[in-house]
Amino acid sequence: MQTPRTIRLEVSSNCQLRCPSCPMTTGHGDAAVGHGHLRLEDFKRLIDDNPRVREIEISNYGEVLLNPEFLPILQYAHEKRVSLRADNGVNLNFARPEALEGLVRYRLRSLTCSIDGATQATYEHYRVGGVLQKVLDNLAAINEFKNRYRSVYPRMAWQFVAFGHNEHEIEEARNMARQLGMEFRLKLNWDPTYDPVQRRDLVRSIAGSADREEYSREKGVPYMASLCLQLWRQPQINWDGKVLGCARNFWGDFGGNAFRDGLNTVLNSERLQYARQMLLGRVPPRSDIPCTSCDVYLSARGKKNPVISRFGRTKAAISSALFSLRERLQG
């Protein structure tokens, strides 16, 4: 496997919120992910040593805007013509004005904001410690900078995770997103034990399924099976250089360090290659492979189709090609 054009690189795993189901709140992510910021010098070295990499997803378990070197990271990527995205999500509860301007000035391609409520009482139920008005003010500020720079970037999306406590505000949140020029995305909760939805027909009418179990039962694949494709197309690198493989993994790393050992070397390690074969259903699980602990893998193992099918890889390749073409045409 040669170095992919797109990778995932956590800019900061620190977060000021305490969402109940998040592994960084419960402590389950401490060993593999840990708490810290990507260093500018590591980012520069990674970019300079890997000219094939042209696109990077920078958000994952933490809040990118907490990294004190966030602005120069944006600037360096822009100068090197490497596109950055924050599609996994930000909470936007804290942002310096110059950082918000930097999102526009240095053309962050897209930004997804996690907002699970249309009122403060509902929003803070899950986004513990968050202040909705701060988030809305920061989104408005980004729009002002977009107008000033006459830019469509970053393209913004409002992500709303459906719970029992917030399902009554879905429509209101969707309207608020529209007013802010944001795409609205309803996401199904990953933890079936935490506050499941009650108005299942409503959630199903928007998301296609009422919960992830229903989705898996009807579609024949796990709700987040596409995450497994990241081991091929968008491998996840932690803020400290650890190789996590995908955005879901918080159990352990695959060994090696992308900053110290080189990106191409760590992405072609024996353990990562074995994991890819495991996900294809060609080899049995192995205890030193983090995927062995993953609910996505465990729920798909033993079924007729492996987690990643030939169709899934082909579909992902076509989608990726079309997406890249659209981005080039848009400048």
Side-chain angles (χ1 to χ4, degrees):
M1 175 188 176
Q2 62 181 173
T3 303
R5 287 177 54 84
T6 302
I7 64 171
R8 310 178 69 89
L9 179 63
E10 178 99 86
V11 163
S12 177
S13 64
N14 290 346
C15 185
Q16 71 277 61
L17 306 188
R18 292 294 177 266
C19 306
S21 293
C22 178
M24 304 310 291
T25 296
T26 63
H28 290 92
D30 288 353
V33 179
H35 297 271
H37 305 299
L38 171 69
R39 298 189 307 168
L40 177 61
E41 61 182 278
D42 288 330
F43 181 73
K44 286 183 174 181
R45 187 183 312 115
L46 190 73
I47 295 298
D48 294 343
D49 291 347
N50 299 279
R52 179 175 168 78
V53 174
R54 307 311 303 160
E55 184 176 305
I56 303 176
E57 165 62 50
I58 60 174
S59 62
N60 197 30
Y61 279 117
E63 177 68 358
V64 298
L65 289 150
L66 294 180
N67 188 322
E69 295 184 302
F70 179 64
L71 197 57
I73 286 173
L74 285 179
Q75 181 177 358
Y76 194 74
H78 180 69
E79 292 171 353
K80 294 295 183 175
R81 298 187 178 182
V82 175
S83 296
L84 301 186
R85 301 180 181 280
D87 288 334
N88 210 53
V90 300
N91 65 60
L92 272 186
N93 271 267
F94 167 81
R96 299 178 181 88
E98 58 269 25
L100 295 177
E101 181 179 8
L103 294 174
V104 180
R105 181 180 181 184
Y106 299 123
R107 296 171 67 86
L108 180 79
R109 291 313 232 190
S110 52
L111 180 148
T112 297
C113 192
S114 302
I115 315 173
D116 313 315
T119 63
Q120 176 62 26
T122 300
Y123 171 74
E124 68 181 352
H125 187 102
Y126 185 74
R127 303 291 166 181
V128 178
V131 179
L132 179 59
Q133 192 57 53
K134 286 184 179 180
V135 179
L136 298 176
D137 289 345
N138 286 332
L139 289 169
I142 293 173
N143 279 332
E144 289 178 7
F145 285 121
K146 288 171 71 171
N147 289 332
R148 184 184 304 177
Y149 282 88
R150 297 182 180 180
S151 175
V152 298
Y153 299 113
R155 299 187 184 278
M156 300 193 295
W158 179 312
Q159 178 176 276
F160 190 109
V161 180
F163 297 106
H165 73 266
N166 68 4
E167 56 191 5
H168 65 288
E169 291 187 355
I170 291 175
E171 288 303 323
E172 185 178 354
R174 182 153 58 175
N175 289 333
M176 292 169 68
R178 187 180 300 112
Q179 292 170 10
L180 286 164
M182 303 173 71
E183 177 188 350
F184 183 79
R185 299 173 185 166
L186 189 65
K187 187 175 181 179
L188 302 179
N189 175 21
W190 77 271
D191 183 357
T193 66
Y194 181 83
D195 197 12
V197 298
Q198 303 301 312
R199 300 171 63 180
R200 297 176 63 83
D201 287 342
L202 170 64
V203 175
R204 187 181 295 114
S205 68
I206 301 172
S209 301
D211 56 38
R212 296 192 180 196
E213 182 180 353
E214 181 178 287
Y215 178 95
S216 180
R217 185 170 60 251
E218 294 179 348
K219 305 294 184 181
V221 293
Y223 179 68
M224 298 299 288
S226 60
L227 286 172
C228 302
L229 285 166
Q230 292 174 2
L231 270 70
W232 285 268
R233 304 196 62 81
Q234 297 177 320
Q236 178 75 46
I237 306 300
N238 203 36
W239 60 272
D240 57 1
K242 289 180 184 175
V243 182
L244 299 182
C246 80
R248 177 82 174 100
N249 178 24
F250 58 85
W251 304 281
D253 65 274
F254 285 91
N257 187 287
F259 304 145
R260 182 187 65 237
D261 306 321
L263 185 61
N264 193 61
T265 297
V266 296
L267 294 185
N268 288 280
S269 69
E270 186 277 333
R271 288 171 65 190
L272 204 52
Q273 291 188 54
Y274 190 93
R276 296 182 185 114
Q277 294 301 305
M278 226 176 81
L279 295 176
L280 289 168
R282 295 173 179 170
V283 295
R286 212 170 74 182
S287 60
D288 64 330
I289 305 299
C291 308
T292 304
S293 301
C294 180
D295 54 316
V296 176
Y297 172 73
L298 292 174
S299 64
R301 186 186 172 206
K303 292 185 177 180
K304 183 177 180 180
N305 298 317
V307 175
I308 305 297
S309 66
R310 181 182 300 274
F311 171 74
R313 294 202 306 277
T314 302
K315 183 178 180 182
I318 294 173
S319 298
S320 178
L322 290 174
F323 188 84
S324 297
L325 175 61
R326 183 173 71 249
E327 287 297 283
R328 288 198 297 273
L329 290 174
Q330 293 171 341

